[in-house]
């Protein structure tokens, strides 16, 4: 993983800021050889007990990512901690704007191209779950393309968790739009199953260009109507225009996590197997650079 790491220097030029959040920002840099990279800068805005606690919390993301090696997972080059321990920088490859920004204002996107993106996302999640890591914040804003606009990358592992088999996750994290219903109602839940729910929300958005509901809770009328339709086995439960097999088999948005499919079940679905997607070797046939850049 380190063979393609650039040589960093204090003379590297800061080009601009890619994004800002509550806890920090992401800046774009360029080496003297015109190699671009991103730096995620954390500065404490919360009341941590100590700089040691701050370092542990922030480097949680780096420590998880440093163990991973998959074409659909963002890499981390290195990290720096300031002398006083109050600022931490994570160095990573530069990519595209996040997927929500790329998709929301584009009309007439072809479904097969969008399914390529979604299947790439599924490959990344399958890898994570195979090494017993759940992301817990899968959303369009945490998916980017690489600099060549071929492979998608899952980013932001701040709330990711390493889980032993049959170990439950604790705490409501992530974004409300994408969160599974059990994360609102249960103190402990299956983090991998919650990732599957988020995959379903993303698939719904890519196909329909809108989110199905604001929050998967009973006080959300859209979600309540959906759950009622499921209980009544109504035809309104058809969420995706992917064919009859997909409708029957894809329990991605099954409110009961015990009935929800796992990422490993996808390999047995013919409709999923037939989705063409880009990987390190093959292309789906679409030029994502031309579509999205």
């Amino acid at each position: 993983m380190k063979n393609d790491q650039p040589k960093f220097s204090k003379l590297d030029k800061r080009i601009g800021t890619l994004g800002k959040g509550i806890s920090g920002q992401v800046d774009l840099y360029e080496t003297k050889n015109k190699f671009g990279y991103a730096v995620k800068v954390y500065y404490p805005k919360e009341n941590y007990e100590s700089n040691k606690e701050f370092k542990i919390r922030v480097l949680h993301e780096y420590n998880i990512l440093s163990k991973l090696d998959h074409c659909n997972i963002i890499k981390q080059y290195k990290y720096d901690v300031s002398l006083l321990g109050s600022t931490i920088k994570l160095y990573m490859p530069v990519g595209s704007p996040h997927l929500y920004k790329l998709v929301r204002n584009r009309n007439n996107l072809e479904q097969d191209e969008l399914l390529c993106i979604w299947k790439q996302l599924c490959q990344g999640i399958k890898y994570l779950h195979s090494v017993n890591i759940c992301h817990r914040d899968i959303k369009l804003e945490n998916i980017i393309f690489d600099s060549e606009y071929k492979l998608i990358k899952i980013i932001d592992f701040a709330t990711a968790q390493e889980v032993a088999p049959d170990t439950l996750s604790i705490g409501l994290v992530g974004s409300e739009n994408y969160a599974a219903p059990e994360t609102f109602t249960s103190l402990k839940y299956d983090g991998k199953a919650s990732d599957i729910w988020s995959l379903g929300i993303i698939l719904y958005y890519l196909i329909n260009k809108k989110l199905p509901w604001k929050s998967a809770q009973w006080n959300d009328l859209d979600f309540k109507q959906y759950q009622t339709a499921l209980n009544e086995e109504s035809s309104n439960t058809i969420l995706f225009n992917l064919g009859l097999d997909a409708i029957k088999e894809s329990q991605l948005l099954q409110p009961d996590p015990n009935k929800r499919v796992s990422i490993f079940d996808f390999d047995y679905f013919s409709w999923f197997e037939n989705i063409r997607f880009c990987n390190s070797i093959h292309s789906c046939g679409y030029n994502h650079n031309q579509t999205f850049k």
Side-chain angles (χ1 to χ4, degrees):
M1 293 177 62
K2 296 182 179 180
N3 294 335
D4 57 351
Q5 179 170 313
K7 293 183 179 180
F8 301 104
S9 167
K10 293 182 179 180
L11 300 178
D12 291 347
K13 185 178 180 182
R14 179 177 172 276
I15 304 300
T17 298
L18 297 175
K20 291 185 178 182
I22 297 175
S23 60
Q25 65 188 51
V26 179
D27 294 327
L28 176 62
Y29 280 80
E30 187 178 76
T31 67
K32 65 179 181 180
N33 296 324
K34 303 299 181 181
F35 189 101
Y37 63 92
V39 178
K40 191 172 184 178
V41 185
Y42 287 92
Y43 36 83
K45 294 280 188 179
E46 303 175 47
N47 295 321
Y48 294 96
E49 292 183 2
S50 64
N51 283 341
K52 180 180 179 180
E53 182 193 359
F54 169 64
K55 182 177 178 180
I56 291 173
R57 288 274 297 275
V58 172
L59 291 185
H60 167 78
E61 179 176 10
Y62 177 84
N63 290 331
I64 285 184
L65 283 168
S66 64
K67 302 174 184 178
L68 305 178
D69 186 9
H70 190 273
C71 66
N72 296 125
I73 307 292
I74 193 71
K75 291 182 179 181
Q76 295 282 353
Y77 292 135
K78 68 166 190 170
Y79 70 87
D80 280 339
V81 181
S82 64
L83 291 176
L84 297 178
S86 60
T87 303
I88 297 177
K89 296 180 178 180
L90 302 183
Y91 293 70
M92 65 193 75
V94 67
S96 73
H98 58 68
L99 196 58
Y100 179 67
K101 186 175 182 179
L102 293 178
V103 171
R104 63 177 177 174
N105 292 325
R106 285 182 167 86
N107 298 317
N108 302 319
L109 292 173
E110 295 199 26
Q111 181 172 295
D112 286 344
E113 184 170 12
L114 294 171
L115 289 177
C116 164
I117 295 171
W118 184 72
K119 189 168 183 177
Q120 286 192 58
L121 172 62
C122 292
Q123 302 307 306
I125 296 300
K126 181 180 179 181
Y127 169 76
L128 289 178
H129 289 189
S130 72
V131 294
N132 291 317
I133 292 177
C134 50
H135 188 281
R136 300 203 298 165
D137 194 17
I138 297 297
K139 59 183 179 180
L140 292 163
E141 291 86 346
N142 282 340
I143 305 166
I144 64 173
F145 274 107
D146 62 13
S147 59
E148 296 179 353
Y149 280 75
K150 179 183 180 184
L151 301 178
I152 67 100
K153 305 287 183 179
I154 303 171
I155 64 171
D156 199 343
F157 282 68
T159 59
Q161 183 181 15
E162 296 185 70
V163 288
D166 301 322
T167 299
L168 298 178
S169 297
I170 300 176
L172 178 60
V173 297
S175 300
E176 188 175 13
N177 297 129
Y178 298 85
E182 66 271 14
T183 65
F184 297 105
T185 59
S186 303
L187 178 63
K188 296 183 179 181
Y189 56 90
D190 185 338
K192 293 180 181 179
S194 70
D195 282 348
I196 298 300
W197 178 275
S198 300
L199 286 178
I201 296 293
I202 289 175
L203 178 58
Y204 184 95
Y205 183 89
L206 292 177
I207 301 302
N208 297 284
K209 290 296 291 290
K210 64 178 182 179
L211 293 167
W213 42 72
K214 292 182 179 180
S215 176
Q217 301 182 78
W218 268 101
N219 60 1
D220 185 296
L221 294 180
D222 291 324
F223 178 69
K224 185 176 181 179
Q225 182 181 16
Y226 165 72
Q227 197 163 24
T228 300
L230 274 179
N231 294 334
E232 295 175 353
E233 297 184 354
S234 166
S235 60
N236 291 332
T237 61
I238 296 176
L239 293 179
F240 314 121
N241 182 25
L242 295 175
L244 185 61
D245 290 338
I247 294 166
K248 289 181 177 179
E249 295 176 323
S250 64
Q251 296 291 309
L252 298 168
L253 294 179
Q254 166 56 250
D256 184 348
N258 295 316
K259 297 180 181 178
R260 205 172 298 152
V261 295
S262 81
I263 194 67
F264 305 104
D265 293 327
F266 288 22
D267 291 335
Y268 300 101
F269 300 157
S270 59
W271 63 269
F272 183 80
E273 186 67 22
N274 290 332
I275 297 175
R276 297 182 62 185
F277 70 105
C278 298
N279 56 31
S280 301
I281 302 174
H282 301 292
S283 169
C284 70
Y286 286 92
N287 186 340
H288 303 313
N289 194 324
Q290 183 177 355
T291 302
F292 294 106
K293 193 169 183 179

